[in-house]
Amino acid sequence: VTKRVGEIALENWTFNIPPGEKNHRVTATYTLPTEAIFLSAAPHMHLLGKEMKVRAVLPGGVVRPLIWVRRWSFSWKDAYVYREPVRLPSGTRIEMEAFFDNSMENSLQPNSPPIYVRHGDYPTAEVAMCTFAVTCENPADLFNLLADDARMRQLVVRVGKMKH
């Protein structure tokens, strides 16, 4: 083994999509605590998903697109491997934007009539998440990145549970 690979996730657990909303926007951000090398991206939404884009905003303000699925299909959920690994410096802000169609015009609408939809793993719920396979030059940096990601997920879960 020359490099260990881990997984981090960018997601929003606290959204609520109103019924009839055709283009509901859900966002999430995460700032890298260390330099990281991104190997793949795996966006994930359910049936109301419409579009997802994720970009990296480097500390100097330069923007690098990481993935953009313009027409989401639940059947396409997969990991997309970068042709060349994407090296991002410490302090890079990862930004996700996901759009959902909770109207009757959505042919995949599971609810008739549409209802308020929250985050969850059940069939009528939604997910706004993109996971990334990552590595670091220094194994300690990878450990710190994965520990920070786990800590952030726990904070998000706690906030999500407090709002319900």
Side-chain angles (χ1 to χ4, degrees):
V1 174
T2 59
K3 292 262 188 244
R4 297 202 183 272
V5 175
E7 184 178 86
I8 62 172
L10 183 61
E11 63 187 311
N12 182 323
W13 293 30
T14 61
F15 60 88
N16 196 0
I17 307 170
E21 185 69 35
K22 294 180 184 179
N23 203 37
H24 186 77
R25 181 175 177 255
V26 173
T27 63
T29 62
Y30 175 70
T31 301
L32 294 174
T34 184
E35 178 185 61
I37 302 165
F38 283 51
L39 305 171
S40 67
H44 187 76
M45 296 186 284
H46 290 166
L47 298 173
L48 301 180
K50 184 175 174 180
E51 174 184 4
M52 181 183 285
K53 61 174 109 172
V54 184
R55 65 189 198 154
V57 181
L58 281 63
V62 173
V63 175
R64 292 192 64 187
L66 295 176
I67 192 162
W68 186 3
V69 179
R70 289 182 176 98
R71 291 174 53 202
W72 173 258
S73 170
F74 186 68
S75 302
W76 296 345
K77 57 182 191 273
D78 203 352
Y80 298 88
V81 178
Y82 299 118
R83 283 189 187 123
E84 296 292 326
V86 179
R87 186 179 297 267
L88 298 172
S90 175
T92 296
R93 190 174 68 252
I94 310 299
E95 300 177 342
M96 177 190 74
E97 249 186 329
F99 294 90
F100 296 88
D101 182 354
N102 192 16
S103 72
M104 283 306 295
E105 294 172 24
N106 180 349
S107 63
L108 299 176
Q109 174 62 259
N111 304 298
S112 183
I115 60 172
Y116 278 96
V117 176
R118 298 181 191 199
H119 172 273
D121 289 330
Y122 47 95
T124 58
E126 267 302 335
V127 175
M129 174 174 68
C130 191
T131 58
F132 299 93
V134 296
T135 190
C136 297
E137 291 296 338
N138 178 343
D141 287 344
L142 180 61
F143 175 80
N144 290 334
L145 175 61
L146 298 178
D148 188 63
D149 178 65
R151 182 184 62 78
M152 291 304 294
R153 285 191 199 205
Q154 288 176 348
L155 289 174
V156 169
V157 171
R158 286 189 191 124
V159 169
K161 287 183 179 176
M162 288 170 60
K163 288 191 172 193
H164 298 306

